[in-house]
Amino acid sequence: MNLPEAGALLAAECARYTELGWMRGTSGNLSVRLSDDPLRLAVTASGLDKGELTASDVVEIDATGAPVSEGALAPSAEAGLHGRIAAVSGAGAVVHVHVLAPVLAAERWPGGVELRDLEMLKGFGRAAHDDLVTIPVVRNSQDMQALGDAFEAGWRADTPALIVARHGLYVWGSDLRQARHRTECLEWLTRFIIEA
Amino acid sequence: MNLPEAGALLAAECARYTELGWMRGTSGNLSVRLSDDPLRLAVTASGLDKGELTASDVVEIDATGAPVSEGALAPSAEAGLHGRIAAVSGAGAVVHVHVLAPVLAAERWPGGVELRDLEMLKGFGRAAHDDLVTIPVVRNSQDMQALGDAFEAGWRADTPALIVARHGLYVWGSDLRQARHRTECLEWLTRFIIEA
Amino acid sequence: MNLPEAGALLAAECARYTELGWMRGTSGNLSVRLSDDPLRLAVTASGLDKGELTASDVVEIDATGAPVSEGALAPSAEAGLHGRIAAVSGAGAVVHVHVLAPVLAAERWPGGVELRDLEMLKGFGRAAHDDLVTIPVVRNSQDMQALGDAFEAGWRADTPALIVARHGLYVWGSDLRQARHRTECLEWLTRFIIEA
Amino acid sequence: MNLPEAGALLAAECARYTELGWMRGTSGNLSVRLSDDPLRLAVTASGLDKGELTASDVVEIDATGAPVSEGALAPSAEAGLHGRIAAVSGAGAVVHVHVLAPVLAAERWPGGVELRDLEMLKGFGRAAHDDLVTIPVVRNSQDMQALGDAFEAGWRADTPALIVARHGLYVWGSDLRQARHRTECLEWLTRFIIEA
């Protein structure tokens, strides 16, 4: 995938999340893998309205989140965590949205949000029975190195999500569609355990 | 109705439920009766985004949920329960959606969700007064035979719905429209008893 | 206004309420005044999907809710209450929707839902300060005469709404737009007092 | 910006807020700065459906909220507070919406709604850590002078919002887009603290 193709996909996905109310203000950012070696991602540019992105509102970054070339647009401030997640997990796409239910769940269960025996876990890539899924919760930080270390310390290959407390949700997958499906399932799951 | 006609109807209905947020991820599946003798259903294919189905994203199944002919698409994993419900109830259409309120209600009332003296029961096909309606709740399972047996054990001809605990809702009717109207009414009813 | 004009307006209004989720299933019905002497209303036909009405899905009724001429479509079962409300209040339009918040409020305050010192009361036609507004609550019934008598017993010219317990909301105004604005304000107000 | 340009922007913004359900009935009003010296604002006209505004549904006002020239349309009754906020804060745009969460928060914390250590505060123009943000709450009034005095008494240059108790929210920024982003962030923040 080249950068303009990635930009078009990212803009379309952002419009979907915006419609769901999960990218309020200019919050959230999405990335998709462009190449493996060296690792390159396309990430949404910083500070823009996510309901109005165009295919050019995208920046190519390396595994540290640094832009590969100089341009008018800055990558999202959280690009470093996107790079880290992609490098560690091998994900093809990373979604970061400010969706409320997971953040509420993390506030109630700051040591990790436990999900078990729920059908929607299948959509998240796990089993619907007898499979305890713990979504890691890390403290919020503006230091992407610190956030990335906390992510990596709690990372498990079978749990493609991370909640940053009092902030938002990261979910990843092989591509943007799988990441979205997992994000939608995790929102349902955390809404369920909050209301149940 | 032939399979392409059924596929077009199922895609349109799925888009409606997706818009309501009741088919998050790739969850949920719908079926419609193609013939009575032998019983044949058209069911949505497995694993697809329900907001993006086309008329060809459909599989013809028999009463056991098995595909009638080999094809590229697999029927929904829950096709067996669709077949069982259609066979037992005589329904022309079966809706399975992961809508939150009925699942929350089943979590609170695992022995069955009781509804009574509520006008919306008319839209579900029952009386608005002095008519106790109990929506059966069954334990979740990946075994469609087990789910089907549990459904049949609790089945009553006047109660066209089933909640699978920690999973989702099944509703059926003479056609997709009636099934949708009943689904919408049951969502309202369960949201009411949860919030009341 | 003639019947086709009224039908077009009613269909457009119903589509709006459907979009808000306030006419789930085939619930709810709207009417608009066609003439004063004798009183004639156009009311939405019974049993239809309110998101899909056309301008011809309408029936002309008299003050008792009886159809003025024989036709293929039956008026809403609640047409008699529409007629009674229009006759007693002088309203030009009556809205009946199954919106959740007022019904939840009536469940909590079955003797009447009290609202006071809230800015949104201005949009309902009352004062924002020092003006106690009590929305009458009546028991649900399938007998429009009984419902109409209960409405009339509690009717006050300055309170253009009625909640039918465990059923839904009636709001009226000079025209469909004013009735809608009042309905929207009352939904906000009842949601506020439930959540506050 | 001239008045027709401002009217077009205001109509488009109002349609967005209406879609979010934050301008129910005819509630809410928006303004944008036309000139600095003398201060002139374009404000939405009073009493209209905010989902149906056109570019001409706008009135030019001075810093007191008085219309600059006579016309068919009256400015919003709250134009005086728009003028006061613009004059005191230097804002280029002021948003007033009847969004529920901030009003619920003000009901719970009538002395001011405190927000701290939440990422979404960055979208509101503050820091995500160790920065206590207190959204002032003032009593509702129909007297724009009294409301304006209460606003000014509590005003801080770093806190571009005001909650009017049992009424609604004011948020301002350099332009309508920034004001909207801040409004969206504050809605998220107050929904979070209510549900947490």
Side-chain angles (χ1 to χ4, degrees), chain A residues 16 19-20 22 116-120 122 128-129 177 180-181 184-185 187-188 191-192 195-196, chain B residues 19 23-27 49 52 77-78 98-100 103-104 107-108 140-142 166-167 191:
Chain A
R16 281 177 174 260
E19 184 68 24
L20 291 168
W22 299 356
R116 184 190 180 97
D117 294 333
L118 286 156
E119 182 75 11
M120 273 294 210
K122 288 167 66 181
H129 306 274
R177 177 171 299 208
R180 172 158 48 83
H181 290 161
E184 291 183 3
C185 289
E187 194 271 342
W188 192 101
R191 180 53 67 187
F192 175 80
E195 294 200 23
Chain B
E19 183 69 23
M23 300 188 95
R24 289 278 160 83
T26 64
S27 72
D49 190 310
E52 300 174 346
E78 285 140 331
H98 288 198
V99 54
L100 197 61
V103 186
L104 289 169
E107 195 73 3
R108 194 174 307 177
N140 193 23
S141 172
Q142 302 309 305
R166 303 175 73 82
H167 180 160
R191 179 55 66 188

Side-chain angles (χ1 to χ4, degrees), chain B residues 9 20 39-40 48-49 55-56 64 71 79 81 99 122 133 145 150 154 168 170 173 176 188:
Chain B
L9 282 176
L20 291 168
L39 178 62
R40 293 287 182 267
L48 302 178
D49 190 310
S56 57
T64 71
L81 187 50
V99 54
K122 288 167 66 182
V133 176
Q145 183 69 40
Y170 284 82
L176 283 166
W188 192 101

Side-chain angles (χ1 to χ4, degrees), chain B residues 47-170:
Chain B
L48 302 178
D49 190 310
K50 299 306 186 298
E52 300 174 346
L53 295 187
T54 67
S56 57
D57 294 326
V58 64
V59 180
E60 184 172 346
I61 59 168
D62 65 19
T64 71
V68 167
S69 61
E70 270 192 39
L73 294 170
S76 158
E78 285 140 331
L81 187 50
H82 282 260
R84 187 81 166 260
I85 289 171
V88 169
S89 71
V94 181
V95 167
H96 170 50
V97 285
H98 288 198
V99 54
L100 197 61
V103 186
L104 289 169
E107 195 73 3
R108 194 174 307 177
W109 297 285
V113 176
E114 296 192 350
L115 302 165
R116 184 190 180 96
D117 294 333
L118 286 155
E119 181 75 11
M120 273 294 210
L121 285 168
K122 288 167 66 182
F124 184 67
R126 295 289 289 269
H129 307 273
D130 304 320
D131 179 17
L132 176 64
V133 176
T134 304
I135 309 298
V137 175
V138 300
R139 288 174 60 95
N140 193 23
S141 172
Q142 302 309 305
D143 177 348
M144 289 305 118
Q145 183 69 40
L147 269 185
D149 291 349
F151 150 68
E152 200 165 338
W155 179 70
R156 282 176 50 152
D158 64 0
T159 309
L162 174 75
I163 307 175
V164 183
R166 303 175 73 82
H167 180 160
L169 174 68
Y170 284 82

Side-chain angles (χ1 to χ4, degrees), chain C residues 23 30 40 44 56 61 78 110 122 132 158 174 176 180:
Chain C
M23 301 188 94
L30 270 58
R40 293 287 182 267
T44 50
S56 57
I61 58 168
E78 285 140 330
K122 288 167 66 181
L132 177 63
D158 63 0
S174 57
L176 283 166
R180 172 158 48 83

Side-chain angles (χ1 to χ4, degrees), chain D residues 22-177:
Chain D
W22 299 357
M23 300 188 95
R24 289 277 160 84
T26 64
S27 72
N29 29 74
L30 269 58
S31 64
V32 65
R33 183 181 290 249
L34 295 172
S35 67
D36 295 334
D37 189 10
L39 177 62
R40 293 288 183 266
L41 304 180
V43 68
T44 49
S46 180
L48 302 178
D49 190 310
K50 298 306 185 299
E52 300 174 347
L53 295 186
T54 67
S56 57
D57 294 325
V58 63
V59 180
E60 184 172 346
I61 59 168
D62 65 21
T64 72
V68 167
S69 61
E70 270 192 38
L73 294 169
S76 159
E78 285 140 331
L81 187 51
H82 282 260
R84 187 80 166 262
I85 289 171
V88 168
S89 71
V94 181
V95 167
H96 171 51
V97 284
H98 289 197
V99 54
L100 198 61
V103 185
L104 288 169
E107 195 73 2
R108 194 174 307 179
W109 297 285
V113 176
E114 297 192 348
L115 301 166
R116 184 190 180 98
D117 294 334
L118 286 156
E119 182 75 11
M120 273 295 209
L121 286 167
K122 287 167 67 181
F124 185 68
R126 295 288 290 267
H129 307 274
D130 303 320
D131 179 17
L132 177 63
V133 176
T134 304
I135 309 297
V137 174
V138 300
R139 287 174 60 94
N140 192 24
S141 172
Q142 303 308 305
D143 176 348
M144 289 305 118
Q145 183 68 40
L147 269 185
D149 291 349
F151 150 69
E152 201 165 338
W155 179 71
R156 282 176 49 151
D158 63 1
T159 310
L162 175 75
I163 306 174
V164 183
R166 303 176 73 83
H167 179 160
L169 174 69
Y170 283 83
V171 177
W172 48 95
S174 57
D175 57 20
L176 283 166
R177 177 171 300 209

